[in-house]
Amino acid sequence: MDKNQRIAIVGVGGVFPGAADLNEFWENILIARDCSREPPEGRWSLALEDVYDAKGPQADKVYSKRACFVENFKADIDGLDIDAELLTSLDPMFHLLLHAGNQAWRDAVTENLDKQRVGIIIGNIALPTDSSSRITDEILLPVFEKQLLARSDSGASVNKLNKYVAGLPAGTLAQALGLGGGSYTLDAACASSLYALKYAVDELVAGRSDAMLCGGLSRPDSLYTQMGFSALHAISASGRCSPFDKKGDGLVVGEGSGILVLKRLDDAIKDADHIYATIAGVGLSNDIDGNLMSPDSEGQLRAMRAAYEKANWQASDVDLIECHGTGTPVGDVVEFNSLNSLWGDSKNENDCVIGSVKSNIGHLLTAAGSAGLIKILLSMKHAKLPPTANYESSSRGIDVDDSPFTVLSKPQDWRRRDRNIPRRAAISAFGFGGINAHVLLEEWDESFPQAKARAKVSKPEATQKSDDIAIVGMDACFGPWQSLQAFQNRVLGGVDNSEPEQLNNSWGVDNNIKGYTVDKVDIPVGRFRIPPNELKDMLPQQLLMLQVAANAIDDAGIKEEKRAELKSAGVYIGIGLDMNTSNFHLRWCLLPMARQWAKQLGLELTEAQLQAWVSELRDVSGPAMNANRT
């Protein structure tokens, strides 16, 4: 297949804070509207007066009152094959995805598609949702009630399908649309939407699919994310997301979903689709240096340069860059410096506009990239360069005046540089721990000379031969069978003296002379670039993954001093939500429950006595959320 084959975006759907539809979403962008607000009544399990404290990170407290919410929303499921009663029992995240996916599907020309050759890849965050948290409450709250009131009448009612927050949403959308080309979700943190786009492009380029739905979804328990980012000291105390601005004091969390329909360009032309844009190049990378909260410019630049190399563009060819731009001072400075390095001495006759939709709708985490992509597509459609909300003057460390870039406070007409040069834009998404993605988009107009050439590329063969893949390293740990040899003995025959033992801790690890032990698996201190105090607070599933992966790399004979050179190596892990992460919600709801129990027991407690009792109950329920556990 011709390497210059382009992929076209032919359908768009989305649900975003402060907007009833995509038209209102675009209007909010044009007027630089900030949609952050205090939580709607009932969205958090604690009242503001019980959870807010401006003094900064504290156990079971937040220091910011504001986030961005999807409100008064009802999913449009017209034409979807899904039982209405089942949908009612599913978490709001499913409703957002079904609505956005259905909208995008109907926006594309689909009559001639074989639905068995249409797939779905969605970025979705593996964090507790409203419903998965309620499952935990229903299971564990009766334990407290039984001890206090000698009864249990919680009346479990939450559909247990809601605990499958990671993979089930994409499968539900595929079934509702009748698509048989495969579906899955991925969590590449804040870069997830663009990773989903890249893998959807790969399916089309390889000829395995004729159309793909891709994008992002994020609708975790809002109090959970507010607590977590408070613990990390990353959230905006002012409750305003101000990318690149001197007022920037952190991120604001949002929620929503954005879905795109992709086709090969020649198929889109043949089907007479409306082509929003074509995808010119995608670059992915991981930071080698940096840490969870401090991104690394070198890693970002590798993703950017890979995209420009694929597109055969210069950095200065783009007119608009939708930045990651979270409003955190450190992150914004690193991103701005990465762009400056990418551009070098090259400049446009007109400055390149940079901005971030997070100033309007907050940080949608795994859906952030899809929101930014749709913003760019609408900008191309309306030929407008969009403003960034909450921007007045650049922050310390960001010298916009002495750069090729400008941040707009009002929209401007997006004029083409030449009648034969299409509008071009870029978007970045950088996830926690340095998961980087950069995508280049080009306006489509069949009158452009280069457009006519690209439209003649032939369709790839689905039977295209690929290179064989070799498995060169392995490890295994299943319960007490903690090596390949032990696993082999268990499943294929041999001496097996191991017996299953009851696991003794659900969160955290115990000090051990060898280092740390999690569910009887030893984690040597110093093996991973993780401080010992953080190791103690990590989820056992994550520690186990690290240990087994490291052993597999050792088995492959990849020496430690050579690993930093493997900059094109990737890591792909299948994982589900550990329901222990929803135990924090139990801690928080113990406060309102304690008030209720006190009345039922006839206890007249002062506020101080009540708080002391709740503190005791919370300590029994499990550890508090802190930065490491987040």
Side-chain angles (χ1 to χ4, degrees):
M1 136 140 214
D2 191 310
K3 67 179 181 179
N4 293 318
Q5 168 75 303
R6 282 285 182 90
I7 302 301
I9 300 172
V10 298
V12 176
V15 185
F16 301 116
D21 52 35
L22 290 182
N23 289 330
E24 188 172 1
F25 174 59
W26 174 242
E27 288 300 319
N28 288 340
I29 291 171
L30 286 180
I31 63 175
R33 181 188 172 198
D34 178 350
C35 295
S36 64
R37 56 155 292 176
E38 293 184 359
E41 186 175 356
R43 276 300 303 272
W44 290 358
S45 56
L46 288 173
L48 267 180
E49 58 267 23
D50 289 329
V51 72
Y52 173 73
D53 193 320
K55 288 185 290 191
Q58 301 172 67
D60 307 313
K61 296 287 185 182
V62 301
Y63 63 87
S64 176
K65 299 179 180 181
R66 300 172 69 89
C68 294
F69 301 92
V70 173
E71 304 175 67
N72 304 317
F73 168 74
K74 181 176 175 60
D76 178 5
I77 59 170
D78 184 37
L80 294 182
D81 181 17
I82 187 167
D83 181 73
E85 185 175 349
L86 171 63
L87 181 60
T88 301
S89 72
L90 293 177
D91 189 87
M93 68 184 297
F94 290 89
H95 296 235
L96 295 179
L97 180 61
L98 288 168
H99 180 94
N102 193 29
Q103 187 180 51
W105 179 252
R106 294 195 307 213
D107 191 35
V109 178
T110 60
E111 290 79 5
N112 298 325
L113 286 172
D114 177 359
K115 287 189 174 184
Q116 298 307 305
R117 287 181 53 79
V118 181
I120 299 176
I121 305 175
I122 305 297
N124 181 33
I125 199 157
L127 287 180
T129 63
D130 292 355
S131 298
S132 66
S133 297
R134 282 167 50 213
I135 291 173
T136 295
D137 295 346
E138 287 186 349
I139 293 171
L140 298 182
L141 271 177
V143 177
F144 289 86
E145 291 185 333
K146 185 175 182 180
Q147 294 295 319
L148 295 169
L149 309 176
R151 65 179 177 82
S152 173
D153 58 356
S154 61
S157 61
V158 182
N159 189 328
K160 297 306 182 287
L161 288 174
N162 286 302
K163 68 182 180 180
Y164 301 111
V165 305
L168 187 59
T172 303
L173 177 59
Q175 186 175 39
L177 287 172
L179 307 182
S183 65
Y184 65 89
T185 61
L186 59 87
D187 184 350
C190 312
S192 296
S193 293
L194 301 192
Y195 268 67
L197 178 86
K198 169 62 166 65
Y199 298 141
V201 166
D202 290 348
E203 291 298 300
L204 291 166
V205 170
R208 293 185 291 267
S209 299
D210 293 331
M212 292 292 297
L213 278 76
C214 64
L217 167 67
S218 183
R219 215 289 194 172
D221 176 355
S222 175
L223 183 56
Y224 185 99
T225 52
Q226 201 81 354
M227 286 279 195
F229 284 113
S230 292
L232 291 169
H233 219 155
I235 208 158
S236 166
S238 67
R240 304 281 185 187
C241 179
S242 304
F244 307 114
D245 190 82
K246 64 181 180 182
K247 302 186 304 296
D249 62 348
L251 61 83
V252 173
V253 185
E255 58 192 24
S257 179
I259 303 298
L260 310 171
V261 179
L262 310 184
K263 291 182 182 179
R264 285 178 289 272
L265 178 57
D266 47 352
D267 289 338
I269 294 171
K270 180 186 66 177
D271 292 341
D273 276 288
H274 169 70
I275 299 173
Y276 286 90
T278 63
I279 299 167
V282 183
L284 308 178
S285 76
N286 279 91
D287 288 356
I288 300 300
D289 296 312
N291 58 48
L292 183 70
M293 297 298 294
S294 297
D296 180 46
S297 187
E298 185 274 337
Q300 294 178 359
L301 282 166
R302 270 189 287 115
M304 292 175 179
R305 286 169 176 153
Y308 282 95
E309 181 179 356
K310 173 70 176 176
N312 196 26
W313 288 4
Q314 299 298 315
S316 56
D317 289 338
V318 300
D319 308 311
L320 172 66
I321 301 175
E322 173 65 17
C323 297
H324 187 58
T326 60
T328 56
V330 172
D332 285 0
V333 169
V334 172
E335 181 173 11
F336 187 81
N337 289 339
S338 296
L339 290 173
N340 263 329
S341 296
L342 181 71
W343 282 59
D345 295 328
S346 61
K347 288 186 180 267
N348 286 331
E349 291 182 7
N350 299 311
D351 284 344
C352 176
V353 172
I354 62 173
S356 172
V357 76
K358 296 176 183 67
S359 66
N360 305 106
I361 59 172
H363 191 348
L364 270 59
L365 309 177
T366 43
S370 65
L373 270 166
I374 291 174
K375 172 187 169 183
I376 288 177
L377 298 178
L378 294 174
S379 298
M380 286 185 173
K381 176 181 177 180
H382 296 284
K384 292 287 185 183
L385 293 168
T388 292
N390 301 322
Y391 183 81
E392 294 175 357
S393 59
S394 58
S395 66
R396 183 178 179 183
I398 295 178
D399 189 355
V400 172
D401 294 335
D402 188 28
S403 79
F405 312 112
T406 186
V407 184
L408 298 180
S409 56
K410 293 182 180 180
Q412 292 182 0
D413 291 339
W414 189 352
R415 297 184 177 87
R416 297 190 183 110
R417 302 181 187 189
D418 181 276
R419 62 188 181 90
N420 289 324
I421 298 178
R423 298 177 178 92
R424 290 170 172 169
I427 177 172
S428 293
F430 306 134
F432 271 165
I435 310 175
N436 307 308
H438 193 71
V439 175
L440 300 177
L441 301 172
E442 186 174 70
E443 176 191 21
W444 170 256
D445 188 318
E446 61 184 9
S447 67
F448 293 144
Q450 63 269 44
K452 295 177 181 178
R454 288 184 184 130
K456 295 178 181 178
V457 179
S458 61
K459 181 176 179 179
E461 294 295 330
T463 57
Q464 176 179 336
K465 186 180 183 300
S466 60
D467 293 333
D468 292 332
I469 303 299
I471 299 172
V472 299
M474 296 193 298
D475 191 46
C477 180
F478 298 98
W481 303 285
Q482 296 177 14
S483 67
L484 280 175
Q485 184 64 54
F487 179 66
Q488 175 182 311
N489 292 342
R490 178 64 177 175
V491 299
L492 299 179
V495 178
D496 176 18
N497 297 319
S498 302
E499 291 295 333
E501 298 182 29
Q502 186 170 352
L503 304 184
N504 61 0
N505 63 309
S506 60
W507 189 295
V509 293
D510 302 319
N511 283 319
N512 178 280
I513 192 169
K514 298 179 182 179
Y516 294 96
T517 299
V518 52
D519 295 342
K520 306 299 183 182
V521 178
D522 293 325
I523 311 292
V525 171
R527 184 169 199 189
F528 307 114
R529 293 195 299 177
I530 302 173
N533 285 338
E534 291 185 21
L535 276 175
K536 290 190 296 184
D537 284 336
M538 286 180 67
L539 278 170
Q541 67 169 191
Q542 297 178 2
L543 285 168
L544 184 60
M545 175 274 294
L546 284 172
Q547 182 82 332
V548 174
N551 290 343
I553 291 172
D554 289 344
D555 186 49
I558 303 172
K559 301 300 182 182
E560 185 170 355
E561 59 271 16
K562 294 291 185 182
R563 292 175 193 171
E565 300 174 10
L566 299 176
K567 293 182 179 179
S568 61
V571 179
Y572 301 83
I573 303 291
I575 197 168
L577 175 72
D578 186 332
M579 284 293 286
N580 281 302
T581 58
S582 61
N583 293 352
F584 296 118
H585 187 270
L586 177 70
R587 282 183 60 92
W588 305 327
C589 73
L590 283 172
L591 175 56
M593 291 304 300
R595 290 193 175 112
Q596 177 181 320
W597 292 333
K599 288 182 180 178
Q600 291 176 269
L601 292 167
L603 301 176
E604 295 184 5
L605 303 177
T606 66
E607 186 62 25
Q609 290 172 326
L610 176 70
Q611 293 295 337
W613 186 34
V614 169
S615 179
E616 184 179 348
L617 291 172
R618 284 174 168 172
D619 287 343
V620 171
S621 74
M625 179 180 281
N626 60 21
N628 293 340
R629 295 186 183 112
T630 300

